[in-house]
Amino acid sequence: MYALLVIDRLFRGEPVTVHVPDIFKTDIRPGSMVLVSLQNRKDALYPGYVLQLSDSTTENIATPVIADLMDGGAPVLQENILNVALWIADYYLTSPLDAIMAALPAAVRTTVHDVVEINTFSLKPAEHKTVSTPLRRKILAMLAAEKKLTVRQIQKRLGRKQLYRTISELEKGGFISLQKKFATTRLKQKNAYGIVRPLAGNPEKLLLHAPRQLEAFRALSISGEPFGFPEALGFPASIFNELSKKGLVEKLTIDIRSNLRNTYAETKKTSEKHTLAQTEALATLHKAFDQGTFSAFLLHGVTGSGKTLIYIELLKKVLDAGKTAIVLVPEISLTPQTAGRFHNHFHDNITILHSAMSDQEKYDAWHSLRAGRTKIALGARSTIFAPIENVGAIIVDEEHDGAYKQDRNPRYHARDTAVMRAMHEKALCVLGSATPSFESFNNARTGKYRLISLPERIDGAAMPSITMISMREAPKATRSISDRLYREIGKRIEKNEQVILLQNRRGFAGSVFCLDCGHTPVCPHCNIPLVFHAAAKQLRCHYCGHTQLFSEQCARCKSANLFYKSSGTERIEEELNTLFPEEKILRMDIDTTTTKGSHGRILKAFHEKKSKILLGTQMVAKGLDFPDVTLVGVLMADIGLNIPDFRAAERMYSLLTQVAGRAGRASIPGEVYLQVYDLESDVFRSLLEGRYEKFFEKEMALRTALQYPPSSKLVKFEFSATEEKNAETAALSFRKELEKHLPAANAILLGPAPACIAKLKGRFRYQLLVKIFSGKLSPAFIRQQLNTYTARYRKAGLSITIDVDPQNLM
């Protein structure tokens, strides 16, 4: 018997054929994980994964030897997941090993944390007869003495590497158990503050002449929590330190844990009555599910039209039929509110996955799904590889969101991967969005997907009205907030209603400009202006993470005559505190949501109306449903519209539509105010018309003329090196090889040219774009060229990345 394997750290991740020892023939299967040794290095073991098995082969037999079989040969990759991983390797022009690594959590792939424990003896009928051998008796004797050992400890004491098969036999016999136990690393800790009990004096009197401290004390008092983090409460730590000196609060050190539980919950709610469109949508999906074959749907529903209710009703039918399901949400939208809605309906039958989980939690969740203990996997893009069988439906919520595209190798798109997995599973695939991606909407119009429309909001709620405010002419209450928007916010506060404000930039200011010498601080690694963060008194690069202290004077001429260009959420929070000193401002951006559970704490405070104003970046644009939000303001709606990317208008239309949809989701009508500088933009005209289809047709005509997706398939090759000449030379040479391979009628080559951000993290970048109209690039040819150029420019440290269907051309 022969096995086609991919082996970690060997053969560049490409498949090789090896002989299967007789001892493993009965147990080894496609998807099994094996340990491989080299003839000249038998002490080293490398993880490998079985792609295929055959009784004969015409391929050259590779020298590695299968030394051990993990988990008794039980596949770590089920057949359908293995097929999807191989499709990813082929479509996204990457190695099969890279695709398999993406499909398996790192916590599953490791053997370092395998722990063997002896089981408590009990009399029971023998289901599996375990033959007694000297090796097995030695292992049991060691465990009887010490109760628990890692596999590596046993290997070292016995002087043998190949033990997993023996351990598997003992486990089948009920003598031992094998589990992964990850070392408990020291928990991250963060400073928090709690109110001293009992209070020694009257805070109102003690803080009479310190209004900012009094405001912070009140915010902590009404939070309802035993402690609070400064950034979540919206105040700098220095204010709470002053309160601590006065004996009103105490400083605490809090362990930061990695779960979303108990930070936010909302009452279970359903619409009083399904709309006609919802009833028809469910009937269509139920009928398709009953057919038991693959079909893909695009659920295009306006914000507030009840798409989540459609998902929940469909999932109930899937579970009633004895099948399982996968629900994908963008990571940015995987808030406790989103997860809570599904948990309210499916309780312990759902496993929620997210990036903040520890290795142990990820492994336990993976194992729970694999064992069939839970039937629904809900999470971000990697959840598409959830190890569940008998899948009946795959749902991709907010399918247009850029978070579904992985930004490292393999650069797969989870939405398209979901369609492929549903095809292999013969399952339903439902892609939902109020602003579908152009690719998905084009697929629906051409019949590749079936289109389902939800054109109206549930419970008779009206779509919000949209008003443009020209920031060129409008009077301003502050630098970033127009007088009109200021007055509208004030009206909502008087009525005890709530407001969401979007500023698509974090930090205090976009950049700093010296009015005396003209100097703007830039990142030394990326050549991009640094962003000022006032609370930390730092300049930061939002691309590579470089930080430097800022003393609020020019680094070149030492002048304090500085101009802070643009405004981030931190600065706008300061302006709002000036305009509404009695109001608590909740800020939600990457700086205030770094701690575990902070997302939920902010949403909980807003849900309980401890604050009437929620300010944030894109985090506040999607998935939030608060009935008392009647006003949404976008402070700089032009940001991102003029970047050199053909998807800029699509992204802006989507973002503004999504955030506008947070307003008026109940009986009280909602209003949206967009502060803009260019009133004539087609994006803003389309928003006022309120018709996605019209915007699609206009923008699609332009893309067709320029032959951009979905009129073509785009592949981006990026060459980077520490010396610009090496990146440019390699890119020019690669283009010549590619020209020989591509028929002129099938594709167009653009470049190579410096990337929009020409230097990033200390490396110069050149890009080559390929527009393909028919056929595809040969994966074997591309991988061969990749290996050739990597070897040729090894001393130059050349890096080549390939991005199929890129979402970012910067």
Side-chain angles (χ1 to χ4, degrees):
M1 180 183 284
Y2 301 91
L4 186 66
L5 299 181
V6 288
I7 307 169
D8 192 12
R9 292 174 289 160
L10 297 179
F11 304 101
R12 298 192 184 97
E14 295 296 327
V16 294
T17 300
V18 302
H19 181 264
V20 178
D22 291 343
I23 193 172
F24 299 131
K25 284 183 179 179
T26 56
D27 296 321
I28 195 168
R29 282 173 274 174
S32 293
M33 180 178 173
V34 299
L35 294 178
V36 174
S37 65
L38 300 175
Q39 289 183 348
N40 58 344
R41 285 197 62 195
K42 292 188 177 179
D43 58 326
L45 296 176
Y46 302 87
Y49 305 90
V50 181
L51 305 184
Q52 292 177 11
L53 293 170
S54 58
D55 292 326
S56 61
T57 183
T58 57
E59 302 293 327
N60 294 327
I61 308 301
T63 54
V65 175
I66 296 178
D68 221 335
L69 191 60
M70 302 294 293
D71 205 12
V76 293
L77 285 163
Q78 295 151 355
E79 182 181 0
N80 287 333
I81 299 176
L82 182 60
N83 289 335
V84 169
L86 295 177
W87 171 81
I88 285 175
D90 182 76
Y91 184 83
Y92 292 101
L93 303 175
T94 188
S95 73
L97 179 64
D98 285 339
I100 283 174
M101 292 297 195
L104 279 176
V108 175
R109 301 193 304 264
T110 181
T111 61
V112 175
H113 303 289
D114 289 344
V115 175
V116 185
E117 295 182 71
I118 195 161
N119 289 339
T120 303
F121 177 77
S122 62
L123 290 172
K124 56 183 179 180
E127 296 179 4
H128 179 85
K129 186 176 181 180
T130 304
V131 178
S132 178
T133 67
L135 176 60
R136 294 172 187 176
R137 288 196 294 272
K138 283 182 183 178
I139 292 174
L140 289 174
M142 290 168 59
L143 289 170
E146 302 194 45
K147 307 301 180 189
K148 180 194 300 184
L149 290 168
T150 67
V151 173
R152 288 196 172 188
Q153 286 173 326
I154 298 173
Q155 288 171 336
K156 189 174 181 180
R157 295 183 188 188
L158 295 177
R160 298 186 61 161
K161 293 291 183 184
Q162 297 78 19
L163 290 178
Y164 275 97
R165 181 177 174 80
T166 300
I167 289 170
S168 177
E169 284 297 312
L170 290 171
E171 187 177 31
K172 288 177 182 176
F175 295 96
I176 62 171
S177 61
L178 175 65
Q179 293 182 328
K180 290 191 187 296
K181 297 286 180 68
F182 294 88
T184 304
T185 56
R186 189 170 178 269
L187 289 170
K188 291 182 181 179
Q189 295 183 320
K190 191 172 179 68
N191 288 334
Y193 297 85
I195 293 175
V196 173
R197 304 290 184 190
L199 285 168
N202 187 335
E204 301 289 334
K205 289 182 179 179
L206 287 171
L207 302 175
L208 185 63
H209 301 294
R212 186 78 169 139
Q213 291 179 28
L214 179 59
E215 189 181 352
F217 182 84
R218 286 172 176 167
L220 182 58
S221 299
I222 65 173
S223 69
E225 300 291 342
F227 60 84
F229 296 105
E231 63 273 22
L233 293 165
F235 296 89
S238 58
I239 287 181
F240 289 101
N241 288 333
E242 289 300 317
L243 290 170
S244 178
K245 291 176 185 176
K246 294 176 180 179
L248 296 174
V249 305
E250 58 180 334
K251 193 173 184 177
L252 308 168
T253 302
I254 302 299
D255 292 338
I256 307 302
R257 299 185 180 274
S258 61
N259 60 65
L260 292 172
R261 294 185 291 271
N262 302 324
T263 54
Y264 180 84
E266 61 179 16
T267 54
K268 183 175 176 180
K269 66 173 184 178
T270 56
S271 173
E272 290 180 9
K273 182 172 133 180
H274 288 177
T275 64
L276 178 61
Q278 281 182 312
T279 302
E280 292 175 347
L282 282 168
T284 300
L285 292 173
H286 287 173
K287 182 179 178 182
F289 175 75
D290 289 337
Q291 291 173 352
T293 58
F294 163 73
S295 55
F297 291 86
L298 176 63
L299 182 61
H300 179 204
V302 299
T303 55
S305 59
K307 293 185 289 295
T308 302
L309 182 60
I310 298 286
Y311 303 152
I312 288 168
E313 293 299 321
L314 175 60
L315 290 174
K316 287 178 180 176
K317 183 172 181 64
V318 169
L319 265 59
D320 287 344
K323 290 182 173 285
T324 61
I326 296 171
V327 181
L328 299 187
V329 294
E331 183 71 23
I332 200 169
S333 292
L334 187 53
T335 62
Q337 190 180 53
T338 306
R341 289 173 194 159
F342 286 91
H343 193 270
N344 277 340
H345 287 272
F346 301 106
H347 309 294
D348 293 333
N349 215 5
I350 186 167
T351 292
I352 297 173
L353 309 165
H354 55 93
S355 61
M357 295 169 74
S358 68
D359 281 343
Q360 187 69 60
E361 287 172 323
K362 287 176 182 175
Y363 176 75
D364 291 344
W366 182 88
H367 204 270
S368 176
L369 290 165
R370 186 193 189 199
R373 289 194 290 271
T374 51
K375 304 298 182 184
I376 300 174
L378 183 148
R381 61 175 176 259
S382 62
T383 306
I384 193 55
F385 303 114
I388 53 178
E389 296 182 336
N390 198 22
V391 176
I394 299 176
I395 294 167
V396 185
D397 190 28
E398 308 290 4
E399 65 84 28
H400 65 278
D401 200 287
Y404 286 124
K405 175 72 169 176
Q406 179 144 294
D407 59 0
R408 62 187 182 277
N409 202 39
R411 290 172 166 78
Y412 69 93
H413 200 299
R415 175 197 63 217
D416 301 330
T417 306
V419 174
M420 291 306 299
R421 179 159 185 190
M423 188 180 297
H424 282 288
E425 300 274 4
K426 294 183 175 56
L428 230 58
C429 186
V430 181
L431 314 178
S433 177
T435 53
S437 64
F438 275 36
E439 287 82 357
S440 293
F441 199 70
N442 189 61
N443 283 338
R445 288 176 65 129
T446 56
K448 187 174 180 180
Y449 302 158
R450 293 172 62 184
L451 180 64
I452 297 176
S453 296
L454 300 176
E456 60 190 30
R457 287 184 155 185
I458 58 174
D459 295 334
M463 294 299 291
S465 63
I466 299 177
T467 302
M468 302 287 178
I469 299 174
S470 173
M471 291 298 282
R472 292 182 186 275
E473 298 116 15
K476 296 181 178 62
T478 65
R479 181 172 177 163
S480 309
I481 301 171
S482 65
D483 186 66
R484 174 78 182 275
L485 182 57
Y486 162 60
R487 285 186 280 109
E488 294 297 336
I489 294 172
K491 289 179 186 176
R492 277 22 180 231
I493 291 174
E494 287 178 11
K495 295 178 184 177
N496 198 31
E497 295 170 1
Q498 290 180 293
V499 177
I500 290 178
L501 299 176
L502 168 72
Q503 171 66 341
N504 200 19
R505 174 185 281 132
R506 75 182 202 269
F508 187 84
S511 59
V512 180
F513 177 74
C514 178
L515 293 170
D516 288 344
C517 73
H519 174 65
T520 294
V522 298
C523 175
H525 310 293
C526 306
N527 247 10
I528 293 168
L530 293 166
V531 176
F532 176 42
H533 288 251
K537 293 187 177 179
Q538 286 181 338
L539 295 173
R540 296 181 197 167
C541 176
H542 287 182
Y543 286 90
C544 73
H546 169 79
T547 62
Q548 60 190 58
L549 291 175
F550 182 59
S551 59
E552 298 192 42
Q553 66 177 19
C554 177
R556 179 185 290 170
C557 71
K558 307 305 179 187
S559 169
N561 190 16
L562 304 176
F563 176 67
Y564 296 92
K565 299 169 70 175
S566 185
S567 298
T569 49
E570 192 177 348
R571 175 161 189 154
I572 291 168
E573 179 186 18
E574 187 176 283
E575 294 178 16
L576 288 167
N577 281 323
T578 302
L579 294 174
F580 304 101
E582 299 300 317
E583 287 300 317
K584 173 179 170 55
I585 311 299
L586 288 174
R587 175 161 65 94
M588 182 182 281
D589 56 28
I590 197 168
D591 296 321
T592 63
T593 56
T594 52
T595 61
K596 308 301 184 291
S598 52
H599 228 117
R601 282 190 290 273
I602 294 171
L603 291 177
K604 181 180 179 183
F606 194 62
H607 176 68
E608 294 174 352
K609 298 190 78 169
K610 293 174 181 176
S611 169
K612 298 186 185 72
I613 301 175
L614 174 63
L615 165 69
T617 55
Q618 290 190 29
M619 293 181 184
V620 303
K622 309 175 199 97
L624 303 184
D625 186 359
F626 296 103
D628 289 330
V629 172
T630 58
L631 173 65
V632 165
V634 183
L635 302 177
M636 291 184 69
D638 302 272
I639 286 181
L641 195 53
N642 296 315
I643 63 172
D645 192 319
F646 71 92
R647 285 194 175 91
E650 178 187 355
R651 286 199 199 100
M652 182 55 62
Y653 181 90
S654 174
L655 176 64
L656 295 179
T657 300
Q658 293 287 340
V659 73
R662 301 313 106 205
R665 296 175 72 93
S667 57
I668 309 172
E671 290 184 80
V672 180
Y673 287 86
L674 307 180
Q675 296 187 163
V676 301
Y677 287 87
D678 179 13
L679 288 171
E680 302 303 313
S681 167
D682 285 341
V683 172
F684 299 136
R685 285 203 200 103
S686 298
L687 278 169
L688 290 173
E689 291 170 356
R691 288 193 58 211
Y692 169 86
E693 293 82 356
K694 196 164 184 180
F695 170 72
F696 173 85
E697 287 166 4
K698 279 185 185 178
E699 189 69 16
M700 191 64 187
L702 184 60
R703 290 206 196 172
T704 302
L706 298 173
Q707 297 177 308
Y708 275 111
S711 296
S712 66
K713 175 181 171 181
L714 202 63
V715 182
K716 180 179 75 172
F717 294 88
E718 184 175 293
F719 303 79
S720 72
T722 52
E723 296 292 331
E724 185 174 7
K725 184 179 179 182
N726 291 326
E728 182 182 19
T729 303
L732 286 166
S733 175
F734 191 89
R735 177 188 169 118
K736 291 177 182 177
E737 294 298 327
L738 209 52
E739 280 178 322
K740 298 174 189 176
H741 178 71
L742 282 172
N746 291 356
I748 293 176
L749 289 173
L750 300 176
C756 292
I757 302 173
K759 186 183 179 185
L760 192 63
K761 300 180 182 178
R763 299 179 67 85
F764 292 91
R765 308 159 68 227
Y766 273 73
Q767 290 180 351
L768 175 65
L769 293 180
V770 187
K771 293 179 182 177
I772 301 173
F773 308 118
S774 62
K776 66 174 187 175
L777 294 172
S778 163
F781 169 80
I782 294 298
R783 289 203 286 265
Q784 178 192 6
Q785 292 299 315
L786 200 63
N787 293 334
T788 299
Y789 277 81
T790 301
R792 186 183 300 171
Y793 289 88
R794 181 171 284 114
K795 290 183 179 179
L798 179 74
S799 174
I800 305 174
T801 59
I802 305 171
D803 196 354
V804 178
D805 302 333
Q807 300 296 301
N808 185 352
L809 298 182
M810 297 292 284

